[in-house]
Structures are given as structure tokens and as C-alpha cells.
Amino acid sequence: MNKFNVIITALAICPIIALSQGCLPEGITFTDQAQIDSFQVNYPGCSQIEGSVRINGVDIDNLNGLSVLTSIGGDLEIHFCYSLT
């Protein structure tokens, strides 16, 4: 494989690695549906939360905004989400 092919291959792989990045080492707490819905806008490219995730809100009814997450490094706590489906 010549140097040109190595460079092209590396450039093709780098964006994939950059898209799957760890974030929020201190964790995050969601207290309402709007925070969950705007997660992808507020933390673009975040797919691995390094800290704990706390979801605590009576108006939270879905977790669709967190669908990009592939892992949570800490604990996952869900409280008082009575209408969560």
C-alpha cells in the first residue's frame, strides 16, 4: 500500500472515530423533557457519557433524545418519571 492510500484510509477513519467521543466526565442530570430533547443539540457528537446519568422529572415521558448514546460510564438513575414509556 503506498503512502497516498494510507493517508486516504486514515482520513476516512478519523471522522468516524471523532463522532464517537466521550463527554461529560462529571455526569449529567436531566430534570425535564426539554433537556432530554435538546441533548443532541447541546452536546453534538456525544455518544458516550463518561460520568453518571440521573433522570429525575415528573414531566419526562420519553428518552428519544438520548438515542445516540452507546454507553454510560457511571450509574444510571431514573426517579419520579411516572409517565415514562
Side-chain angles (χ1 to χ4, degrees):
M1 187 181 248
N2 65 32
K3 290 180 183 180
F4 179 74
N5 287 340
V6 171
I7 292 170
I8 295 299
T9 302
L11 290 175
I13 292 172
C14 287
I16 294 169
I17 294 169
L19 291 176
S20 181
Q21 66 182 11
C23 61
L24 299 167
E26 71 285 354
I28 189 168
T29 299
F30 298 98
T31 58
D32 61 40
Q33 187 65 50
Q35 291 173 320
I36 290 175
D37 293 343
S38 62
F39 176 77
Q40 295 177 44
V41 172
N42 294 334
Y43 302 96
C46 178
S47 61
Q48 301 171 355
I49 295 179
E50 296 172 3
S52 295
V53 174
R54 290 170 187 79
I55 301 171
N56 182 0
V58 295
D59 77 325
I60 296 174
D61 58 18
N62 74 73
L63 302 178
N64 296 342
L66 304 180
S67 65
V68 297
L69 294 179
T70 59
S71 68
I72 296 171
D75 296 328
L76 171 62
E77 299 177 21
I78 301 175
H79 301 281
F80 305 113
C81 299
Y82 303 118
S83 58
L84 187 60
T85 55

